[in-house]
Amino acid sequence: MSTMSVKQLNDVPLDTWETIASYWDKSIGKDGNIYWKKLQEPSLRRLLGDRLGQESCHALDLATGNGICARWLAKHGARVTATDGSENMVQIAKNWMKGEERSDSVVFAKLDVTQTEDFDAFIAATGENMFDIVLMNMAIMDVSTLEPLVKALPNLLKPNGVFVATLLHPVFMTSGASRNVDLRYDGETGDLEVVRTKVIRNYLHIPPYKGIAIPGQSKRQLYFHRPMDELFTTFFQAGLVMDAMEEPAFSEDDREEGRVESSRNYTQLPAILSFRMRLPYKSGARESC
């Protein structure tokens, strides 16, 4: 991957998502998979808090995929602008929204989060400081650069608005950690115990690499690993502050017995990372929703 140009690192992931959009949508479905139901949605609900359920709320959903977050936000009363860099994904999200309750509260647009020009054009069209919520669910590890997004956030968010994101956990998921299964007998009971561990050999410097999001997809995608200090510092340098972070993990009830390697079986190691950023609070600023 190190031989790719900056343009290729931006373009190749989008080309891949255009190719696998339909397969990904069929696998995730309208209502989401177990990652959404058990990890992402509960965490997003906690991080957004009282902002959910307020009809005055205006949300921007970046990298919307099949639109699951856009539909979820709309269901909770928000007016939503849903965007994605993949035209196929935007069309799939539009199709799912047809006939839905509050379908008129969601508008769609194509926006590539790796392109400053896309953000500039979007802000010029929508106006500055329009959004109470900017959301990016499970996409940060799929994009080659965060700088255009971070640069745009101060012009997207209302004063006291929030940016909330989820991503595969940098330590336990995108670091290339090996998954180990140890069998041992309990010395007192004699029962066989299964102990699952992960070994992290690399973390600080990992170049982009190919992997899969859904078993069976026809084309492998690029992943972009960022250690947590690099991830958060990108936002801090733009003047944002982080006021919440979670590390959701699967529970014992979520175990997948048929796949010994499944992340759902590693219940002590978080599968995703979620966090909330905002601009520094300014006294007298108009409250967001």
Side-chain angles (χ1 to χ4, degrees):
M1 299 300 105
S2 59
T3 60
M4 282 191 179
S5 66
V6 172
K7 185 177 187 305
Q8 287 175 315
L9 288 173
N10 292 341
D11 293 347
V12 168
L14 273 183
D15 291 341
T16 301
W17 283 108
E18 291 286 22
T19 301
I20 67 173
S22 179
Y23 182 82
W24 186 90
D25 174 54
K26 290 177 182 177
S27 300
I28 300 299
K30 179 181 179 181
D31 299 320
N33 61 5
I34 193 169
Y35 271 81
W36 167 255
K37 294 173 181 177
K38 292 297 185 76
L39 303 183
Q40 298 159 30
E41 193 275 347
S43 185
L44 291 174
R45 184 185 295 272
R46 290 188 293 268
L47 293 182
L48 292 176
D50 293 341
R51 289 177 173 83
L52 285 178
Q54 298 192 22
E55 293 187 1
S56 62
C57 206
H58 193 185
L60 171 61
D61 183 22
L62 299 170
T64 191
N66 73 352
I68 190 169
C69 283
R71 295 190 298 276
W72 178 72
L73 288 164
K75 179 182 177 181
H76 286 87
R79 293 177 295 115
V80 185
T81 301
T83 70
D84 202 285
S86 162
E87 292 182 359
N88 288 338
M89 284 296 195
V90 171
Q91 188 56 54
I92 288 170
K94 284 182 178 179
N95 291 341
W96 277 125
M97 201 65 206
K98 291 177 182 177
E100 287 288 297
E101 185 179 355
R102 291 184 54 82
S103 60
D104 59 346
S105 65
V106 181
V107 297
F108 296 91
K110 185 175 182 294
L111 189 155
D112 180 353
V113 296
T114 69
Q115 300 301 312
T116 299
E117 296 80 4
D118 280 22
F119 277 112
D120 290 345
F122 179 80
I123 293 169
T126 60
E128 292 189 359
N129 308 119
M130 294 296 293
F131 297 100
D132 303 284
I133 296 169
V134 177
L135 177 63
M136 191 169 178
N137 185 53
M138 298 303 289
I140 281 180
M141 65 282 178
D142 294 322
V143 297
S144 61
T145 177
L146 298 178
E147 277 71 16
L149 162 65
V150 170
K151 179 182 176 183
L153 281 173
N155 295 319
L156 291 168
L157 290 170
K158 291 180 181 178
N160 309 323
V162 295
F163 171 72
V164 174
T166 65
L167 67 153
L168 289 175
H169 201 288
V171 177
F172 302 110
M173 296 298 287
T174 62
S175 66
S178 60
R179 304 178 189 189
N180 300 330
V181 178
D182 296 324
L183 303 179
R184 68 185 182 191
Y185 288 93
D186 185 283
E188 294 185 4
T189 66
D191 293 336
L192 179 66
E193 293 182 335
V194 178
V195 180
R196 290 178 170 85
T197 60
K198 291 189 177 183
V199 177
I200 292 90
R201 295 180 175 84
N202 299 293
Y203 175 70
L204 292 177
H205 306 291
I206 299 176
Y209 63 92
K210 287 186 177 181
I212 61 170
I214 305 293
Q217 67 187 55
S218 62
K219 191 175 183 180
R220 295 181 183 272
Q221 69 207 64
L222 279 180
Y223 281 103
F224 299 89
H225 169 82
R226 297 174 179 89
M228 283 195 279
D229 69 318
E230 178 185 331
L231 170 65
F232 295 140
T233 298
T234 305
F235 292 91
F236 298 156
Q237 289 178 341
L240 285 92
V241 297
M242 182 168 67
D243 63 1
M245 185 185 77
E246 295 186 357
E247 296 178 287
F250 287 110
S251 70
E252 294 292 332
D253 293 337
D254 303 323
R255 285 187 178 276
E256 189 176 8
E257 299 300 337
R259 291 181 61 218
V260 67
E261 80 283 5
S262 173
S263 295
R264 290 162 54 179
N265 298 326
Y266 289 78
T267 57
Q268 283 295 311
L269 304 177
I272 71 170
L273 176 72
S274 53
F275 63 93
R276 183 176 65 208
M277 296 275 180
R278 60 175 175 81
L279 296 170
Y281 180 78
K282 295 180 181 180
S283 179
R286 179 172 59 87
E287 291 287 342
S288 63
C289 71

